[in-house]
Amino acid sequence: MSSDFMDYDPASFDDQNYQPREELPQDSRATLPIIPLRPLRFGEVVRGTFLALLRNPLVIIFLGLLVGIINSLSSYLTQSKQWEDKFFNQIWIPLAEGKQTTNGPEFQTIIKGFFQSSLINFCVSLLVMVFISGTIAFVVSRLLLFRKANLGETLKATGKAIPALIFIIFVHLLMMAAVLGSVFLLTNLLTDSQGRLTPEKIGLVSLALFAAMIIIVYIELKLLFAPAAAVLEGSKPIEAIKRSWDLSRGLNLINLFTTIVTAVMATLAAFLVAVVLTLIQNLITQMISNPALASSLEILNELLLQAVFSPLVPITWCLLYVNARFIKEDFWRQLPQK
């Protein structure tokens, strides 16, 4: 197995004979684990998410930095910022102000470019988060066993699960493509020969798109635990997906709610830190007037924010996986207690 975390087998566990496989100094036990070793309340999952970052910051921030670099490259290659500026400045803001806009080729190009770049970046971000959540699952598992994980053992443990993680990512892509492809097909069928849609047909496409989003969210919730199962249980690709599907049964709403709350809290915290970083950036650029320096500081600030805050949601997913095992398998009884 990839981790000692999974060496505790529920089927072979015996309360009387069980002994923790490794005793640690009492001072180490005083600060770990990051959550109570029992079925968790909502607040304990959220608190554990932030504690995990504080207890093992170097490895988690390094993984977050990888997320930030990949997302930044994706945005650069799709020119996301350019399309976003055009969409809001030339279309959204004028429409919000009640101004007339011309539905010409440039108008359609901007909308198409904006939504294409947004969709690509969303998919890249989601797939990176899926991969990173498997890696972070190992770090979280060590924190539950009163230990910290170093980067080497984390990457080694995750490396064994790379084929399963790649397959899980492929399933994510396939299901998203199937759902969104159905909406695009419907749109093409409803579009007339001149490429136009009546208001009624626009409403129908909007409803289809809304339904597609609900289906995608449901699929993501059912696949939520697959990366952790692949890394921590050594499950084969299909087994990891089946495992996630079974563990998430009956817990989808609380998993969704917890994820949303953690994401909102991370976003608010990132916003406050961003304000401080922006003030520092403006102060430095005023003292040293250099466009290249200003651009470099902006990129550095963005990477720093993603490095610190992007791992928080994957940590929550891992804790929800642990909690699902606590609830469905009494797994907390097999872990060493303080």
Side-chain angles (χ1 to χ4, degrees):
M1 295 296 180
S2 300
S3 163
D4 290 342
F5 177 67
M6 302 310 301
D7 287 346
Y8 304 98
D9 182 9
S12 61
F13 175 69
D14 186 334
D15 278 319
Q16 296 179 349
N17 298 328
Y18 172 73
Q19 294 291 332
R21 63 166 44 242
E22 180 179 346
E23 291 293 337
L24 294 179
Q26 189 63 32
D27 59 347
S28 296
R29 287 173 172 264
T31 57
L32 299 173
I34 55 173
I35 56 172
L37 300 184
R38 54 167 171 72
L40 303 172
R41 293 187 291 267
F42 162 76
E44 291 169 338
V45 176
V46 176
R47 179 175 178 271
T49 296
F50 290 90
L51 278 180
L53 176 61
L54 295 175
R55 297 281 170 82
N56 206 351
L58 294 181
V59 174
I60 292 177
I61 288 177
F62 175 81
L63 296 173
L65 183 61
L66 292 180
V67 174
I69 292 173
I70 294 173
N71 287 338
S72 297
L73 287 174
S74 174
S75 297
Y76 173 77
L77 293 175
T78 59
Q79 299 179 322
S80 178
K81 183 65 177 175
Q82 174 187 339
W83 289 116
E84 182 179 323
D85 289 342
K86 287 184 176 181
F87 179 79
F88 283 97
N89 293 332
Q90 299 184 34
I91 296 177
W92 181 253
I93 293 177
L95 286 174
E97 293 176 350
K99 297 179 180 179
Q100 294 291 331
T101 58
T102 304
N103 188 3
E106 182 181 359
F107 183 94
Q108 297 175 5
T109 300
I110 292 174
I111 293 179
K112 183 179 180 181
F114 171 73
F115 281 101
Q116 281 185 344
S117 63
S118 299
L119 180 60
I120 292 173
N121 287 318
F122 169 77
C123 291
V124 170
S125 177
L126 175 63
L127 299 179
V128 170
M129 294 280 272
V130 168
F131 194 89
I132 293 299
S133 69
T135 307
I136 287 180
F138 181 82
V139 180
V140 171
S141 74
R142 304 294 283 184
L143 292 175
L144 293 179
L145 291 176
F146 318 107
R147 305 174 181 87
K148 290 184 179 181
N150 61 49
L151 184 60
E153 65 177 336
T154 301
L155 296 179
K156 181 179 179 181
T158 309
K160 298 177 182 179
I162 284 180
L165 292 174
I166 292 176
F167 181 81
I168 293 167
I169 289 174
F170 172 75
V171 171
H172 276 267
L173 281 175
L174 185 63
M175 290 187 172
M176 289 181 65
V179 175
L180 294 176
S182 299
V183 177
F184 293 144
L185 178 61
L186 176 64
T187 304
N188 288 332
L189 292 175
L190 296 177
T191 303
D192 62 22
S193 59
Q194 297 180 346
R196 295 175 302 184
L197 288 170
T198 64
E200 293 80 9
K201 292 180 178 179
I202 291 176
L204 184 59
V205 171
S206 300
L207 287 176
L209 186 59
F210 179 73
M213 293 299 104
I214 293 178
I215 293 172
I216 288 175
V217 169
Y218 177 77
I219 291 172
E220 295 305 320
L221 288 172
K222 299 304 291 184
L223 298 178
L224 198 62
F225 302 146
V231 172
L232 298 179
E233 300 183 44
S235 300
K236 295 180 180 179
I238 296 178
E239 291 174 351
I241 292 174
K242 290 181 178 179
R243 179 77 166 136
S244 176
W245 210 274
D246 292 337
L247 279 177
S248 62
R249 186 175 291 114
L251 300 174
N252 291 322
L253 289 180
I254 187 62
N255 290 343
L256 176 61
F257 179 72
T258 308
T259 299
I260 291 174
V261 170
T262 303
V264 170
M265 293 179 65
T267 302
L268 291 176
F271 173 77
L272 295 176
V273 174
V275 170
V276 176
L277 292 177
T278 301
L279 292 175
I280 296 173
Q281 175 186 334
N282 292 337
L283 181 62
I284 294 175
T285 53
Q286 287 177 3
M287 296 173 59
I288 306 174
S289 181
N290 187 323
L293 176 63
S295 178
S296 299
L297 287 174
E298 184 177 350
I299 294 173
L300 183 62
N301 289 346
E302 182 179 349
L303 288 178
L304 179 60
L305 290 171
Q306 293 211 43
V308 174
F309 295 104
S310 64
L312 291 177
V313 170
I315 293 173
T316 299
W317 294 344
C318 298
L319 292 178
L320 290 172
Y321 158 80
V322 172
N323 191 44
R325 295 202 66 188
F326 284 173
I327 293 172
K328 294 177 178 289
E329 301 173 350
D330 285 345
F331 188 64
W332 55 281
R333 294 182 182 276
Q334 293 105 55
L335 294 175
Q337 308 289 322
K338 282 191 178 183

